[in-house]
Amino acid sequence: MTDSVRYNGTARLLHWTIAVLIIVNLILGIGHDPLGEILPAMPIHKSIGLTVLALSLFRLVWRLTHTPPPLPVSVAGWEKGAAHAMHWLLYALMILLPLSGWIMSSAGTRPLQWFWLFDVPKFDVAKGDAIVGLSGGGHGLMGYAMIALLIGHIGAALRHHFLLKDDVLRRMLP
């Protein structure tokens, strides 16, 4: 496969780094109560969330300024549309999910830190604010939506690789 049909190295590095961080964070978010018995799950969850937010914003700028490789001509039009919709929904959730967590944490009394290295500024919000309630309610729902999108995204990539035997997955492999 030529480099002209692959994502560039920066896009691939961002994709796989963010993917691993999101999967770890979904596990920490869902399992924070039992995991909290053996490790500081919520501070790690918050730190990873902030990292995902920063990397996702960079990735979005990168994506908007660098044309991705075209999908194979064998991919049907409806599939191209579904792939683009899924990617943009993933981008939205990669930004909105950690942002909602940051808003919720800002309303709390504990300091918000990035891996115990430095304090992260909090938004000027309080527990009773509508945005805090919206963020709290939406955070869990967006987490489950992220899981559904990831299953669809991974499933589609595996379908292309093993059933259709095209280069869609290989375009993003390291």
Side-chain angles (χ1 to χ4, degrees):
M1 175 182 301
T2 66
D3 282 341
S4 63
V5 294
R6 294 187 68 190
Y7 283 88
N8 64 45
T10 301
R12 293 192 316 266
L13 178 64
L14 287 168
H15 175 274
W16 292 107
T17 302
I18 293 169
V20 168
L21 290 173
I22 287 173
I23 291 167
V24 168
N25 229 23
L26 288 168
I27 293 167
L28 287 172
I30 291 170
H32 71 274
D33 284 337
L35 290 172
E37 301 287 326
I38 56 174
L39 59 100
M42 283 315 292
I44 294 170
H45 176 78
K46 292 174 183 182
S47 294
I48 290 174
L50 291 166
T51 305
V52 166
L53 177 60
L55 291 174
S56 296
L57 290 170
F58 179 70
R59 183 173 180 195
L60 179 60
V61 170
W62 189 265
R63 168 60 183 84
L64 293 172
T65 58
H66 294 78
T67 304
L71 287 166
V73 294
S74 60
V75 176
W78 72 267
E79 281 185 289
K80 289 178 183 177
H84 292 304
M86 182 175 284
H87 283 120
W88 288 111
L89 284 170
L90 283 167
Y91 277 112
L93 287 178
M94 289 186 309
I95 293 166
L96 293 174
L97 192 53
L99 187 58
S100 67
W102 189 358
I103 291 168
M104 288 189 313
S105 293
S106 294
T109 57
R110 295 186 184 133
L112 180 58
Q113 297 179 328
W114 189 76
F115 293 108
W116 301 278
L117 296 174
F118 58 84
D119 288 342
V120 175
K122 290 184 168 188
F123 293 108
D124 187 19
V125 295
K127 283 212 186 275
D129 294 349
I131 188 77
V132 174
L134 184 62
S135 293
H139 192 74
L141 290 174
M142 286 188 287
Y144 287 111
M146 177 66 87
I147 291 169
L149 284 173
L150 289 178
I151 290 169
H153 182 67
I154 294 166
L158 294 175
R159 175 181 170 263
H160 278 279
H161 190 73
F162 291 110
L163 297 178
L164 302 178
K165 299 187 186 306
D166 60 24
D167 288 335
V168 169
L169 176 60
R170 282 188 286 273
R171 298 171 342 140
M172 189 52 84
L173 290 178

